[in-house]
Amino acid sequence: MNKIFAILGTISLSMLVAACSDTKTAKETATAETVSVETAAQVEGTKTITLTNGASVTWIQDNEGEKLNPRSLFSDASDSLYNSLNMPDGIPASVSTFLVKVDGKYILFDAGLGAFGGQLMSRLAALGVNPDSIGLVYLTHLHVDHISGLVAKDDAGNDTKVFKNAAVYAGKVEYDAWMNDIPKNDLQKNIMALYKDSLHLFAFGDTLPHGVLAMDAIGHTPGHTAFQIANLLIVGDLMHGYALQKDHPEVNSNYDMDKPKSAESRKRIMQYARDNKLLMAGMHLPPPGFAE
């Protein structure tokens, strides 16, 4: 699991738009019905690969610029262990979402930062994907950097749905914890209420639409979920410092709410990925978001 996929060469969005300006806009060139490898390769902060079932998955970097998670985030790690990485400025990471196209339908895994600096909307536009064409949103958990992209402000300053036609899937354990037990949950309550008419709660072990398996990955949050589709395992926030945690899954980040359970989930799921030769996709893996 210590091999990170090399990021594809990219060109800036401005260059892409300029190249299309004589005939069509970038959005018109890649229609809302198609995410092509060629288009994704030209859009900054994205990479598209094909799964064994023929589905495509596009990594979308939601944060702007470089992200380094600081040494202070990993208080479980000894100084000697951390220093052995030779990464004094921090461990490369990202805030990412993943767009899967399967059976002609779009599934978005997590919705990113939204108003807190998120790049998802601009990158979907560059890929030619209208938010209205996304039919399913699967949430690994309800932290701010995973659900804020579900909402935007209208002209009157009110919260509105970004994905108007999407069914939103959240784990029941996760949902119940945020609604009832976890303090400072106003954002979570407001967003879930906005999507109440299209919200679906699942249990660990459920098979969701398009054959997506919901897996227990608790620890980071009470109902943290991993998802498997074909040979792809979307691991959410299982790792915040891949360079450190890939070989030392016992090391937690300070964001993990239940550290013993988080470490157990990390060890179990990484072994599951090895045993089944799965490609991992993580919301905080370094660009381009995939590891094997």
Side-chain angles (χ1 to χ4, degrees):
M1 281 192 184
N2 58 2
K3 176 182 175 186
I4 293 288
F5 273 67
I7 191 166
L8 293 180
T10 61
I11 64 173
S12 69
L13 179 57
S14 61
M15 292 172 63
L16 176 62
V17 173
C20 299
S21 60
D22 289 341
T23 53
K24 299 179 180 180
T25 67
K27 185 173 181 178
E28 291 170 334
T29 301
T31 71
E33 301 303 321
T34 303
V35 172
S36 70
V37 175
E38 292 80 5
T39 300
Q42 298 178 73
V43 175
E44 182 181 4
T46 72
K47 178 180 179 178
T48 295
I49 60 174
T50 302
L51 303 181
T52 55
N53 66 348
S56 68
V57 54
T58 300
W59 163 72
I60 302 174
Q61 180 176 316
D62 193 45
N63 65 289
E64 187 172 9
E66 183 182 40
K67 181 174 177 60
L68 297 172
N69 278 335
R71 191 270 178 271
S72 59
L73 184 59
F74 305 98
S75 57
D76 284 4
S78 67
D79 288 340
S80 60
L81 175 57
Y82 187 86
N83 292 339
S84 70
L85 300 176
N86 195 27
M87 295 179 175
D89 296 328
I91 300 177
S94 69
V95 178
S96 298
T97 68
F98 294 87
L99 181 70
V100 170
K101 188 178 184 185
V102 58
D103 303 326
K105 306 294 184 181
Y106 286 125
I107 306 172
L108 183 67
F109 289 86
D110 286 351
L113 292 157
F116 300 100
Q119 306 299 304
L120 176 61
M121 288 299 101
S122 63
R123 285 178 173 153
L124 285 176
L127 289 165
V129 178
N130 189 313
D132 291 350
S133 69
I134 293 175
L136 295 160
V137 178
Y138 291 160
L139 300 174
T140 62
H141 63 295
L142 301 187
H143 272 157
V144 172
D145 55 333
H146 298 261
I147 65 171
S148 294
L150 289 170
V151 299
K153 297 290 186 183
D154 63 16
D155 292 340
N158 299 312
D159 286 337
T160 60
K161 289 182 179 181
V162 169
F163 304 104
K164 297 179 178 60
N165 299 318
V168 175
Y169 282 75
K172 187 176 189 307
V173 173
E174 181 77 358
Y175 177 86
D176 287 346
W178 281 99
M179 296 304 106
N180 301 309
D181 303 323
I182 300 174
K184 298 182 180 180
N185 58 1
D186 287 348
L187 181 141
Q188 285 77 13
K189 285 186 172 182
N190 291 341
I191 293 177
M192 292 298 100
L194 188 65
Y195 280 87
K196 64 180 180 180
D197 293 336
S198 56
L199 181 64
H200 301 264
L201 302 180
F202 59 79
F204 295 134
D206 284 356
T207 299
L208 307 179
H210 303 289
V212 176
L213 175 65
M215 298 174 58
D216 174 352
I218 63 173
H220 177 63
T221 60
H224 185 241
T225 303
F227 297 101
Q228 183 180 352
I229 176 169
N231 61 314
L232 182 71
L233 187 61
I234 296 173
V235 299
D237 281 16
L238 201 69
M239 289 174 280
H240 289 77
Y242 179 78
L244 173 64
Q245 293 173 296
K246 66 184 177 64
D247 296 321
H248 295 278
E250 74 279 4
V251 173
N252 294 285
S253 84
N254 294 341
Y255 294 136
D256 295 330
M257 298 173 72
D258 186 325
K259 288 189 172 185
K261 288 183 179 180
S262 179
E264 186 279 326
S265 289
R266 194 157 37 253
K267 294 173 185 176
R268 171 172 45 84
I269 290 173
M270 290 173 71
Q271 188 62 51
Y272 177 81
R274 281 191 290 267
D275 291 345
N276 292 278
K277 298 179 173 57
L278 302 178
L279 176 66
M280 291 195 304
M283 279 57 184
H284 298 301
L285 290 181
F290 297 110
E292 64 173 1

